[in-house]
Amino acid sequence: ITADIKVRKEMTNPVRTLHGGMIAAIADEMIGATIATLELPHVYVSVNLHTDFLFPVKEGETVRAKSDIVRRGKNIIHTECRLYNSENKLVAKASSNNIKINAEK
């Protein structure tokens, strides 16, 4: 899936660039939404989230987040999310493994 997110002041660090925690949160939300599109009967939760911060994004800019499922196994789904600036430059990327738990939706 793809989403455009405008960087607001409350999303920035003291130097007014997109905070790393916000980048991780965006990636985690996008990954969760991507898994939700599979409409699976079980709940999947994050095992890990590895995030690389490559370039800063300033307040007022818009980032485009794109997430994909890399591999869907029996119990684990491996996903990736990439964030791009308005010039289509890769500014951050994240990968995550999500595990099926015994809870049903």
Side-chain angles (χ1 to χ4, degrees), residues 1 9 16 21 24 26-27 30 34 43 45-46 51 57 61 65 68 73 84 88 91-93 98-99 105:
I1 64 173
K9 181 180 178 181
R16 297 281 164 88
I26 290 167
M30 290 293 292
T34 300
V43 174
V45 297
S46 298
T51 308
V57 180
E61 291 186 65
D68 294 295
Y84 300 88
N88 207 34
V91 297
K93 61 188 179 99
N98 297 267
I99 190 166
K105 292 182 182 177

Side-chain angles (χ1 to χ4, degrees), residues 10-75:
E10 62 270 19
M11 299 167 71
T12 64
N13 57 28
V15 294
R16 297 281 164 88
T17 60
L18 184 59
H19 190 284
M22 287 302 302
I23 291 171
I26 290 167
D28 190 51
E29 288 295 323
M30 290 293 292
I31 286 167
T34 300
I35 292 171
T37 66
L38 298 174
E39 298 182 355
L40 300 170
H42 292 88
V43 174
Y44 283 76
V45 297
S46 298
V47 173
N48 56 24
L49 179 69
H50 177 87
T51 308
D52 294 313
F53 310 103
L54 305 173
F55 291 97
V57 180
K58 295 178 182 175
E59 179 183 345
E61 291 186 65
T62 298
V63 292
R64 174 162 286 165
K66 296 181 179 183
S67 60
D68 294 295
I69 294 175
V70 176
R71 182 179 183 277
R72 179 178 161 194
K74 183 178 176 183
N75 294 307

Side-chain angles (χ1 to χ4, degrees), residues 75-88:
N75 294 307
I76 301 265
I77 297 175
H78 181 76
T79 54
E80 291 181 346
C81 181
R82 295 174 182 267
L83 279 71
Y84 300 88
N85 66 11
S86 59
E87 298 169 356
N88 207 34

